[in-house]
Amino acid sequence: MTVQLDIAGIGAGPFNLSVAALLAPIQTMRSRFFDKREHFDWHPGMMLDDAKLQTSFLKDLVTAADPTSAYSFLAYLVAHRRFYRFINAEFSHVQRREFADYLKWVAGKLPNLQLNHEVREVQFGENGFTLRFDQGEARARHLVVATGTTPRIPEWARPHDHPQCLHTHRYLARVPGVDGQRVVVVGGGQSGAEVVLDLMSGKRGKPASITWLSRRQTLEALDETPFSNEFFTPYYVDAFHRLPMARKPAIVDRQKLTSDGISPDTLKQLYQALYTNGFLTGDSQCLQILPHRDVKAMEAASGGGWTLTAHNGFDGQYDKVDADVVVLATGYLTKVPDCLAPLQDRLDLDPEGRFLLQRDFSVDWAGPSQHRIYVQNGGRYSHGIADPQLSLAAWRGATIVNSILGEERYATADAPLPIAWATPDQAEACLEEAA
């Protein structure tokens, strides 16, 4: 059976859930969002008990675009009869498991979501895009692609595919018992900190040692101050998008800690745990923190486990660290989904294989303009540091929906601070250079 659609979504993570929720009330648009999972779940591998969201609950799937939506976080609280309890609890940050439950609730309510449908291949023909699944196919005028990211496995770790060498995206599903084990955590961001705290808690047993390696010069806090948060506003994204591509990567790299630092609460919790274990309980966890270390090699040890070699950027020396268990908190990569392989030669990608996105998040591609491909979480170097974050999910979803409709169904503008990102008399020159 072939389904005829105006918009087909590939993937149903938070970003495409946002677009689906904003499209759901529009009766004139036939949309359906496909995902290979049988049941919706958001980052189950890192749903640790005490993990918290690093952004405001108001930056949910829809509120910034439609505060009256039935799919808002506030609507979720009311539906679950806990609005007042939530307000009175005065959480500084929402627990991640509650936000995950909100996302699951939205997924269960959406009429245009189809789970257990993996898009195997996308072809383009006279009638638009054809999506093929094991169960059949669908045709659509436009695509909205949000298949998520791929765990980044460093080259030195790739030969060691082993249950005791795991990436954080599978931490809760695969972490072995660590009682008496030498555990090494690689990566100095939020995920690395959460794993270290979990290992120190004793829930997985008592490790013989925990060694935490990071390329950063120390454990660096997330920069969530008001002016830094201006990077996560529509006004800044507009200014950033107009820049020539050659200027963008360096700017994004300088802003790393606005999206990839450790939350101050987590750092405080970690420091307090070290103090308590070291001075009050006498139960030292043998945690050693090794900053400025860039792992260069990982070799199997003769007695079992591995030996990691890391360059010390502080003194220029090399460290050897022995491990029975290695946890990779090494982040994620964005790549062109396999199902788009038939179209890849028609997609305009940069030399690094990244999507080149227009202001409305559509891809430059060698195809008719009346058929567009929108990409979510693929514009870190086109739209800026906010692109992979939840902060602008609703705004980006509204931008895509407005583009598809050819009208401003949802408001996407916001009042800017008196910050002039670009030099006024150079704005036109920047536009010309970008073109």
Side-chain angles (χ1 to χ4, degrees):
M1 181 177 294
T2 300
V3 179
Q4 300 288 341
L5 301 168
D6 295 301
I7 304 108
I10 303 177
F15 297 150
N16 258 3
L17 282 185
S18 174
V19 178
L22 293 170
L23 283 170
I26 304 174
Q27 300 299 318
T28 57
M29 301 299 290
R30 296 166 300 172
S31 66
R32 193 167 299 177
F33 290 74
F34 302 97
D35 196 278
K36 65 183 179 181
R37 293 169 293 184
E38 293 185 15
H39 307 284
F40 181 86
D41 209 350
W42 183 54
H43 292 312
M46 280 296 289
M47 201 55 62
L48 299 166
D49 291 343
D50 298 325
K52 293 181 173 60
L53 207 63
Q54 289 185 302
T55 190
S56 168
F57 67 87
L58 290 175
K59 295 180 177 180
D60 60 14
L61 300 179
V62 292
T63 296
D66 180 9
T68 67
S69 173
Y71 302 105
S72 70
F73 184 77
L74 292 178
Y76 158 83
L77 291 176
V78 172
H80 288 79
R81 306 293 189 267
R82 55 183 173 208
F83 174 83
Y84 296 103
R85 293 287 299 277
F86 178 86
I87 296 299
N88 292 342
E90 296 184 348
F91 292 112
S92 59
H93 291 86
V94 176
Q95 292 190 54
R96 195 182 297 159
R97 58 183 170 178
E98 183 168 31
F99 201 80
D101 191 57
Y102 154 67
L103 296 175
K104 185 175 182 180
W105 174 79
V106 172
K109 285 168 60 69
L110 285 171
N112 51 354
L113 177 61
Q114 186 123 28
L115 299 177
N116 198 28
H117 275 62
E118 182 175 3
V119 180
R120 300 289 187 180
E121 182 183 71
V122 179
Q123 297 275 1
F124 184 77
E126 293 181 3
N127 298 316
F129 300 101
T130 298
L131 294 77
R132 294 193 170 90
F133 328 91
D134 293 339
Q135 301 92 331
E137 62 183 35
R139 293 199 178 100
R141 287 196 298 123
H142 307 298
L143 298 179
V144 185
V145 181
T147 52
T149 51
T150 301
R152 190 182 79 83
I153 308 298
E155 187 174 347
W156 49 261
R158 290 173 194 167
H160 307 284
D161 185 12
H162 188 280
Q164 296 197 190
C165 177
L166 61 146
H167 191 275
T168 53
H169 84 290
R170 291 183 177 175
Y171 177 72
L172 288 180
R174 289 186 55 184
V175 64
V178 297
D179 197 54
Q181 303 285 293
R182 300 163 299 176
V183 184
V184 170
V185 179
V186 181
Q190 180 71 18
S191 294
E194 290 176 0
V195 166
V196 168
L197 276 169
D198 184 68
L199 292 168
M200 291 177 66
S201 72
K203 295 175 183 177
R204 320 293 163 196
K206 185 177 180 180
S209 64
I210 305 169
T211 306
W212 187 8
L213 297 109
S214 171
R215 288 187 295 188
R216 306 179 193 198
Q217 62 181 345
T218 187
L219 302 182
E220 297 177 322
L222 180 73
D223 183 357
E224 50 185 353
T225 53
F227 285 94
S228 294
N229 281 335
E230 283 294 304
F231 296 147
F232 301 87
T233 62
Y235 182 74
Y236 178 79
V237 173
D238 283 338
F240 185 89
H241 189 266
R242 290 194 294 267
L243 288 173
M245 183 58 71
R247 299 190 63 83
K248 293 180 177 181
I251 293 173
V252 168
D253 290 346
R254 286 198 299 270
Q255 297 169 350
K256 183 179 180 68
L257 290 178
T258 62
S259 66
D260 193 23
I262 303 172
S263 70
D265 285 347
T266 302
L267 287 174
K268 185 182 292 185
Q269 184 182 357
L270 175 64
Y271 201 96
Q272 290 175 348
L274 289 171
Y275 182 94
T276 300
N277 291 342
F279 300 118
L280 304 182
T281 66
D283 184 22
S284 175
Q285 293 286 338
C286 300
L287 172 64
Q288 185 177 34
I289 301 170
L290 302 181
H292 253 312
R293 266 59 167 207
D294 186 5
V295 178
K296 298 296 186 181
M298 176 175 170
E299 299 174 340
S302 58
W306 298 277
T307 298
L308 284 75
T309 303
H311 178 254
N312 186 335
F314 183 73
D315 60 17
Q317 302 301 307
Y318 284 85
D319 292 300
K320 299 282 188 181
V321 181
D322 294 324
D324 301 304
V325 178
V326 176
V327 182
L328 303 171
T330 47
Y332 297 84
L333 297 170
T334 299
K335 68 182 188 71
V336 178
D338 292 340
C339 64
L340 294 185
L343 303 178
Q344 185 151 350
D345 290 344
R346 306 177 72 172
L347 301 175
D348 195 3
L349 306 175
D350 71 10
E352 304 297 323
R354 298 182 294 239
F355 290 106
L356 294 172
L357 301 182
Q358 298 292 335
R359 169 62 179 75
D360 63 357
F361 298 95
S362 62
V363 183
D364 284 331
W365 80 295
S369 58
Q370 66 268 29
H371 297 285
R372 295 187 292 278
I373 305 171
Y374 298 89
V375 173
Q376 304 215 62
N377 199 0
R380 183 183 181 91
Y381 293 98
S382 62
H383 290 73
I385 197 74
D387 190 73
Q389 309 301 318
L390 282 171
S391 294
L392 289 179
W395 171 81
R396 179 172 51 198
T399 299
I400 292 172
V401 171
N402 288 349
S403 176
I404 292 170
L405 295 176
E407 63 181 63
E408 192 174 357
R409 169 69 182 243
Y410 295 107
T412 56
D414 196 31
L417 274 180
I419 300 177
W421 299 108
T423 303
D425 60 355
Q426 293 299 313
E428 186 173 340
C430 284
L431 285 172
E432 292 176 358
E433 188 177 347

